[in-house]
Amino acid sequence: MKRMLLTISYDGSAYHGWQVQPNGITVQSVLQDSLEKLIGTRPGVTGCSRTDAGVHALEFCCHFDCEDFLPEITFVKGLNSVLPKDIAVKDCRRVANDFHARYSSKGKQYVYRIYNSAVRDPFKSRYAWQIERELDIDRMNEFCAKICGTHDFAAFSASGRTVSDTVRTVSECFVKKDEDFILLKITADGFLYNMVRIITGTAVGVSDGKISPSDTDYIFASGDRSAAGITAPPNGLFLNKVLY
């Protein structure tokens, strides 16, 4: 048996997230269906994370085990020929048998896209949170600077999380303007359920003056989800990079 690492990208609009669900189509289930068509068996596929319904990935990594009878390029071409158009295999390579797509990862980088314009655009707003009022990037960055470092992010996580350890280290968090878009980029050694979306919603709350950047220390200390801002919608969130 050999272990293969797939790097894929996907538009999450039509899916109930990555992980197999009993009541909805997921990226993992569709990928397993396609692997079964290609190699005749249905291997388990382990992902680097569990993206939520409607969240996208520019780079998502997953591994599976199979018999050693197909070269790497065959998986790329073969899977892309049977996968739906909103999922694409970018790379496939053999890795050590003890490699784990999730636990071998040293961190991940997400980008959240805000379409900051009063002009309606069905293409831009499909993959971004449209906010018509002008946002204050300086205030947002003042807040983002306080997010960096090692903190207990319990207050920046939804109640549905499945882990008890809520301490994470954020190495990078900032916003920048790119034409009509404001992009929030964040890199960390790990993320909690809805963490990036809540951080984004809080950054917008800071811009609106509903929350002060100086409140961040209190939010961390409280561990209280209600102390932070709203949860930004899923369609603006992209898993941008997985770090190994």
Side-chain angles (χ1 to χ4, degrees):
M1 297 289 287
K2 65 179 179 179
R3 178 156 293 185
M4 307 301 298
L5 174 64
L6 285 178
T7 302
I8 66 175
S9 60
Y10 56 82
D11 176 345
S13 302
Y15 299 100
H16 288 72
W18 158 260
Q19 190 172 1
V20 170
Q21 304 287 336
N23 301 315
I25 299 174
T26 67
V27 178
Q28 185 182 36
S29 62
V30 170
L31 186 57
Q32 287 179 303
D33 290 342
S34 299
L35 279 167
E36 188 172 11
K37 290 178 183 178
L38 184 65
I39 64 178
T41 60
R42 190 179 182 83
V45 180
T46 301
C48 61
S49 65
R50 301 175 181 178
T51 55
D52 298 334
V55 174
H56 318 291
L58 298 176
E59 179 180 291
F60 186 98
C61 297
C62 55
H63 77 258
F64 65 93
D65 296 329
C66 64
E67 297 293 336
D68 190 2
F69 69 94
L70 285 177
E72 285 84 345
I73 191 62
T74 301
F75 283 106
V76 177
K77 292 183 176 180
L79 285 172
N80 281 333
S81 71
V82 295
L83 281 166
K85 298 300 183 182
D86 51 9
I87 304 176
V89 176
K90 301 169 66 177
D91 185 56
C92 179
R93 60 186 175 92
R94 186 171 185 172
V95 291
N97 285 349
D98 62 352
F99 176 89
H100 195 283
R102 181 179 179 185
Y103 298 123
S104 297
S105 169
K106 296 179 179 179
K108 302 177 186 69
Q109 181 185 86
Y110 282 89
V111 172
Y112 194 97
R113 293 162 51 90
I114 297 172
Y115 175 43
N116 195 201
S117 173
V119 179
R120 184 176 177 181
D121 188 311
F123 302 104
K124 292 180 178 179
S125 59
R126 178 180 174 87
Y127 300 107
W129 178 15
Q130 183 171 4
I131 297 177
E132 296 185 3
R133 61 192 179 278
E134 186 176 355
L135 296 179
D136 188 329
I137 291 179
D138 290 338
R139 282 180 60 84
M140 294 173 77
N141 270 322
E142 187 178 350
F143 162 73
C144 286
K146 293 181 176 294
I147 289 295
C148 294
T150 301
H151 306 284
D152 185 339
F153 282 89
F156 293 96
S157 174
S159 59
R161 62 176 181 267
T162 58
V163 298
S164 57
D165 180 10
T166 54
V167 175
R168 298 291 185 271
T169 298
V170 173
S171 57
E172 174 186 57
C173 184
F174 65 90
V175 296
K176 68 175 183 178
K177 189 169 180 63
D178 183 9
E179 296 182 347
D180 291 333
F181 290 94
I182 292 176
L183 309 178
L184 185 148
K185 182 180 289 187
I186 182 168
T187 305
D189 59 356
F191 291 89
L192 302 172
Y193 182 45
N194 281 353
M195 179 173 155
V196 181
R197 292 167 59 191
I198 295 170
I199 288 172
T200 302
T202 306
V204 171
V206 168
S207 171
D208 291 341
K210 297 177 180 178
I211 302 171
S212 170
S214 63
D215 293 337
T216 311
D217 291 340
Y218 165 76
I219 297 172
F220 279 131
S222 72
D224 183 1
R225 169 65 189 91
S226 65
I230 66 171
T231 302
N235 60 302
L237 183 58
F238 291 76
L239 175 56
N240 194 51
K241 187 179 297 184
V242 185
L243 308 175
Y244 291 107

